[in-house]
PDB file of all heavy atoms in Angstrom:
ATOM      1  N   VAL D  38     170.562  84.053  -6.557  1.00 86.00           N
ATOM      2  CA  VAL D  38     171.951  84.467  -6.943  1.00 86.00           C
ATOM      3  C   VAL D  38     172.631  83.198  -7.513  1.00 86.00           C
ATOM      4  O   VAL D  38     173.409  83.320  -8.615  1.00 86.00           O
ATOM      5  CB  VAL D  38     172.697  85.017  -5.799  1.00 86.00           C
ATOM      6  CG1 VAL D  38     174.204  85.232  -6.168  1.00 86.00           C
ATOM      7  CG2 VAL D  38     172.127  86.369  -5.326  1.00 86.00           C
ATOM      8  N   LEU D  39     172.657  82.136  -6.871  1.00 83.00           N
ATOM      9  CA  LEU D  39     173.256  80.915  -7.323  1.00 83.00           C
ATOM     10  C   LEU D  39     172.788  80.556  -8.715  1.00 83.00           C
ATOM     11  O   LEU D  39     173.581  80.154  -9.679  1.00 83.00           O
ATOM     12  CB  LEU D  39     173.167  79.740  -6.325  1.00 83.00           C
ATOM     13  CG  LEU D  39     174.040  79.866  -5.116  1.00 83.00           C
ATOM     14  CD1 LEU D  39     173.767  78.735  -4.128  1.00 83.00           C
ATOM     15  CD2 LEU D  39     175.543  80.067  -5.431  1.00 83.00           C
ATOM     16  N   ALA D  40     171.445  80.624  -8.913  1.00 85.00           N
ATOM     17  CA  ALA D  40     170.910  80.209 -10.247  1.00 85.00           C
ATOM     18  C   ALA D  40     171.405  81.104 -11.355  1.00 85.00           C
ATOM     19  O   ALA D  40     171.766  80.632 -12.396  1.00 85.00           O
ATOM     20  CB  ALA D  40     169.388  80.338 -10.183  1.00 85.00           C
ATOM     21  N   MET D  41     171.397  82.429 -11.098  1.00 86.00           N
ATOM     22  CA  MET D  41     171.931  83.315 -12.073  1.00 86.00           C
ATOM     23  C   MET D  41     173.398  83.138 -12.299  1.00 86.00           C
ATOM     24  O   MET D  41     173.827  83.244 -13.421  1.00 86.00           O
ATOM     25  CB  MET D  41     171.558  84.798 -11.655  1.00 86.00           C
ATOM     26  CG  MET D  41     171.877  85.856 -12.667  1.00 86.00           C
ATOM     27  SD  MET D  41     171.136  85.691 -14.212  1.00 86.00           S
ATOM     28  CE  MET D  41     169.473  86.341 -13.713  1.00 86.00           C
ATOM     29  N   ALA D  42     174.111  82.981 -11.228  1.00 83.00           N
ATOM     30  CA  ALA D  42     175.638  82.767 -11.442  1.00 83.00           C
ATOM     31  C   ALA D  42     175.769  81.559 -12.377  1.00 83.00           C
ATOM     32  O   ALA D  42     176.703  81.581 -13.233  1.00 83.00           O
ATOM     33  CB  ALA D  42     176.249  82.471  -9.977  1.00 83.00           C
ATOM     34  N   GLU D  43     175.137  80.463 -12.165  1.00 78.00           N
ATOM     35  CA  GLU D  43     175.294  79.365 -13.025  1.00 78.00           C
ATOM     36  C   GLU D  43     174.857  79.562 -14.457  1.00 78.00           C
ATOM     37  O   GLU D  43     175.645  79.288 -15.369  1.00 78.00           O
ATOM     38  CB  GLU D  43     174.517  78.162 -12.367  1.00 78.00           C
ATOM     39  CG  GLU D  43     174.928  76.797 -13.051  1.00 78.00           C
ATOM     40  CD  GLU D  43     174.372  75.674 -12.250  1.00 78.00           C
ATOM     41  OE1 GLU D  43     173.942  75.854 -11.057  1.00 78.00           O
ATOM     42  OE2 GLU D  43     174.262  74.536 -12.857  1.00 78.00           O
ATOM     43  N   LYS D  44     173.746  80.378 -14.532  1.00 81.00           N
ATOM     44  CA  LYS D  44     173.255  80.556 -15.908  1.00 81.00           C
ATOM     45  C   LYS D  44     174.211  81.485 -16.725  1.00 81.00           C
ATOM     46  O   LYS D  44     174.371  81.305 -17.773  1.00 81.00           O
ATOM     47  CB  LYS D  44     171.882  81.423 -15.631  1.00 81.00           C
ATOM     48  CG  LYS D  44     171.125  81.538 -16.957  1.00 81.00           C
ATOM     49  CD  LYS D  44     169.768  82.303 -16.890  1.00 81.00           C
ATOM     50  CE  LYS D  44     169.408  83.002 -18.068  1.00 81.00           C
ATOM     51  NZ  LYS D  44     168.402  84.119 -17.884  1.00 81.00           N
ATOM     52  N   MET D  45     174.838  82.490 -15.932  1.00 83.00           N
ATOM     53  CA  MET D  45     175.743  83.402 -16.653  1.00 83.00           C
ATOM     54  C   MET D  45     177.177  82.888 -16.645  1.00 83.00           C
ATOM     55  O   MET D  45     178.073  83.525 -17.048  1.00 83.00           O
ATOM     56  CB  MET D  45     175.687  84.868 -15.880  1.00 83.00           C
ATOM     57  CG  MET D  45     174.396  85.562 -16.105  1.00 83.00           C
ATOM     58  SD  MET D  45     174.360  87.067 -15.258  1.00 83.00           S
ATOM     59  CE  MET D  45     175.558  88.140 -16.087  1.00 83.00           C
ATOM     60  N   ASN D  46     177.371  81.583 -16.135  1.00 76.00           N
ATOM     61  CA  ASN D  46     178.680  80.963 -16.171  1.00 76.00           C
ATOM     62  C   ASN D  46     179.612  81.935 -15.375  1.00 76.00           C
ATOM     63  O   ASN D  46     180.811  82.043 -15.777  1.00 76.00           O
ATOM     64  CB  ASN D  46     179.135  80.701 -17.618  1.00 76.00           C
ATOM     65  CG  ASN D  46     180.218  79.734 -17.601  1.00 76.00           C
ATOM     66  OD1 ASN D  46     180.418  78.984 -16.620  1.00 76.00           O
ATOM     67  ND2 ASN D  46     181.038  79.640 -18.670  1.00 76.00           N
ATOM     68  N   TYR D  47     179.174  82.331 -14.238  1.00 78.00           N
ATOM     69  CA  TYR D  47     180.067  83.186 -13.428  1.00 78.00           C
ATOM     70  C   TYR D  47     181.100  82.458 -12.724  1.00 78.00           C
ATOM     71  O   TYR D  47     180.837  81.370 -12.058  1.00 78.00           O
ATOM     72  CB  TYR D  47     179.211  84.040 -12.350  1.00 78.00           C
ATOM     73  CG  TYR D  47     180.040  84.708 -11.290  1.00 78.00           C
ATOM     74  CD1 TYR D  47     180.753  85.797 -11.736  1.00 78.00           C
ATOM     75  CD2 TYR D  47     180.198  84.162 -10.017  1.00 78.00           C
ATOM     76  CE1 TYR D  47     181.678  86.458 -10.630  1.00 78.00           C
ATOM     77  CE2 TYR D  47     181.037  84.868  -9.067  1.00 78.00           C
ATOM     78  CZ  TYR D  47     181.759  85.939  -9.451  1.00 78.00           C
ATOM     79  OH  TYR D  47     182.482  86.584  -8.531  1.00 78.00           O
ATOM     80  N   GLN D  48     182.421  82.782 -12.864  1.00 73.00           N
ATOM     81  CA  GLN D  48     183.479  82.218 -11.991  1.00 73.00           C
ATOM     82  C   GLN D  48     184.131  83.318 -11.294  1.00 73.00           C
ATOM     83  O   GLN D  48     184.485  84.425 -11.733  1.00 73.00           O
ATOM     84  CB  GLN D  48     184.599  81.705 -13.048  1.00 73.00           C
ATOM     85  CG  GLN D  48     183.978  80.530 -13.886  1.00 73.00           C
ATOM     86  CD  GLN D  48     184.033  79.249 -13.130  1.00 73.00           C
ATOM     87  OE1 GLN D  48     184.887  79.058 -12.231  1.00 73.00           O
ATOM     88  NE2 GLN D  48     183.263  78.224 -13.550  1.00 73.00           N
ATOM     89  N   PRO D  49     184.308  83.184  -9.901  1.00 71.00           N
ATOM     90  CA  PRO D  49     185.025  84.350  -9.126  1.00 71.00           C
ATOM     91  C   PRO D  49     186.327  84.633  -9.683  1.00 71.00           C
ATOM     92  O   PRO D  49     187.049  83.689 -10.221  1.00 71.00           O
ATOM     93  CB  PRO D  49     185.051  83.735  -7.773  1.00 71.00           C
ATOM     94  CG  PRO D  49     184.837  82.197  -7.891  1.00 71.00           C
ATOM     95  CD  PRO D  49     184.031  81.986  -9.197  1.00 71.00           C
ATOM     96  N   ASN D  50     186.671  85.848  -9.703  1.00 72.00           N
ATOM     97  CA  ASN D  50     188.126  86.270 -10.143  1.00 72.00           C
ATOM     98  C   ASN D  50     189.096  85.694  -9.149  1.00 72.00           C
ATOM     99  O   ASN D  50     189.069  86.043  -7.918  1.00 72.00           O
ATOM    100  CB  ASN D  50     188.204  87.773 -10.221  1.00 72.00           C
ATOM    101  CG  ASN D  50     189.487  88.270 -10.752  1.00 72.00           C
ATOM    102  OD1 ASN D  50     190.532  87.836 -10.200  1.00 72.00           O
ATOM    103  ND2 ASN D  50     189.551  89.060 -11.642  1.00 72.00           N
ATOM    104  N   PRO D  51     189.976  84.716  -9.628  1.00 72.00           N
ATOM    105  CA  PRO D  51     190.887  84.282  -8.565  1.00 72.00           C
ATOM    106  C   PRO D  51     191.846  85.147  -7.992  1.00 72.00           C
ATOM    107  O   PRO D  51     192.375  84.954  -6.937  1.00 72.00           O
ATOM    108  CB  PRO D  51     191.706  83.107  -9.467  1.00 72.00           C
ATOM    109  CG  PRO D  51     191.500  83.617 -10.920  1.00 72.00           C
ATOM    110  CD  PRO D  51     190.133  84.304 -11.038  1.00 72.00           C
ATOM    111  N   PHE D  52     192.286  86.222  -8.752  1.00 69.00           N
ATOM    112  CA  PHE D  52     193.222  87.107  -8.158  1.00 69.00           C
ATOM    113  C   PHE D  52     192.519  88.001  -7.008  1.00 69.00           C
ATOM    114  O   PHE D  52     193.065  88.313  -5.956  1.00 69.00           O
ATOM    115  CB  PHE D  52     193.799  88.087  -9.090  1.00 69.00           C
ATOM    116  CG  PHE D  52     194.500  87.179 -10.153  1.00 69.00           C
ATOM    117  CD1 PHE D  52     193.922  87.043 -11.425  1.00 69.00           C
ATOM    118  CD2 PHE D  52     195.642  86.454  -9.868  1.00 69.00           C
ATOM    119  CE1 PHE D  52     194.562  86.017 -12.378  1.00 69.00           C
ATOM    120  CE2 PHE D  52     196.278  85.619 -10.617  1.00 69.00           C
ATOM    121  CZ  PHE D  52     195.729  85.378 -11.976  1.00 69.00           C
ATOM    122  N   ALA D  53     191.253  88.356  -7.208  1.00 70.00           N
ATOM    123  CA  ALA D  53     190.465  89.140  -6.303  1.00 70.00           C
ATOM    124  C   ALA D  53     190.296  88.263  -5.021  1.00 70.00           C
ATOM    125  O   ALA D  53     190.474  88.697  -3.975  1.00 70.00           O
ATOM    126  CB  ALA D  53     189.118  89.616  -6.783  1.00 70.00           C
ATOM    127  N   SER D  54     189.933  86.932  -5.329  1.00 67.00           N
ATOM    128  CA  SER D  54     189.828  86.117  -4.154  1.00 67.00           C
ATOM    129  C   SER D  54     191.161  85.882  -3.375  1.00 67.00           C
ATOM    130  O   SER D  54     191.242  85.918  -2.153  1.00 67.00           O
ATOM    131  CB  SER D  54     189.351  84.680  -4.696  1.00 67.00           C
ATOM    132  OG  SER D  54     188.357  84.768  -5.464  1.00 67.00           O
TER     133      SER D  54
END
Side-chain angles (χ1 to χ4, degrees):
Chain D
V38 170
L39 286 178
M41 184 60 80
E43 194 167 342
K44 190 180 156 198
M45 292 176 72
N46 198 15
Y47 169 75
Q48 298 275 335
N50 183 311
F52 302 107
S54 306

